[in-house]
Amino acid sequence: ALRRPTATSAACLCAYDWELATVHVPQRDVVEFLAFVLPREEVSTGLQESFHDYYRTRLEHHAGCTFEPTAFELVARCAAADLAVTRLQLYAMMHSFKEFNWLDGVLNSSFAYLSRVKDSLLHSLTSARGSK
């Protein structure tokens, strides 16, 4: 995939290493992919949700089942939080030994998205816990 050009950088190739794949909810794949290819500037536009929705409709088509859109988006937000505490923290730790010049962009994109959705994510999770 190509990372979109920004005001300060040209478009560049972003190769995704499928060897790092994990057993997880389907939303994890798209969340991680978007962390690598969307620059921080695109995060505030709600572009992630558009990609999540497109991914959901394609997954429904190929899986032959439907997913409730609000629940699907909530799981995507949880997957983004999980990505931050499981994969991104490992990258940050390794970065102290070997420089990953791509890491700042991934962290900026991921944390900008989590910052934007944290209130609705927290509300959804506390509401779900209170209903049990």
Side-chain angles (χ1 to χ4, degrees):
L2 284 177
R3 181 182 293 270
R4 291 181 178 196
T6 65
T8 59
S9 67
C12 62
L13 179 64
C14 178
Y16 191 80
D17 186 353
W18 288 106
E19 292 174 0
L20 295 174
T22 183
V23 176
H24 212 292
V25 296
Q27 292 90 327
R28 169 70 183 259
D29 294 335
V30 73
V31 163
E32 189 165 354
F33 177 74
L34 292 174
F36 277 83
V37 300
L38 286 181
R40 179 187 185 111
E41 300 82 36
E42 298 286 337
V43 172
S44 63
T45 66
L47 192 56
Q48 266 103 337
E49 287 84 353
S50 297
F51 280 113
H52 297 168
D53 192 53
Y54 175 77
Y55 183 71
R56 178 185 56 79
T57 60
R58 300 314 314 151
L59 187 59
E60 288 175 339
H61 172 75
H62 291 288
C65 59
T66 59
F67 301 98
E68 198 279 316
T70 303
F72 193 87
E73 185 60 33
L74 174 60
V75 172
R77 291 173 180 182
C78 290
D82 181 74
L83 172 69
V85 298
T86 59
R87 178 72 52 84
L88 298 183
Q89 57 87 16
L90 290 174
Y91 288 152
M93 181 183 68
M94 291 184 296
H95 182 61
S96 65
F97 297 102
K98 180 186 183 325
E99 183 177 353
F100 296 142
N101 57 0
W102 47 264
L103 186 60
D104 286 345
V106 173
L107 293 176
N108 286 335
S109 177
S110 296
F111 291 128
Y113 173 68
L114 287 171
S115 292
R116 188 170 59 76
V117 301
K118 72 178 189 280
D119 292 336
S120 64
L121 177 59
L122 183 60
H123 174 74
S124 295
L125 294 175
T126 55
S127 297
R129 185 174 53 179
S131 67
K132 288 189 176 191

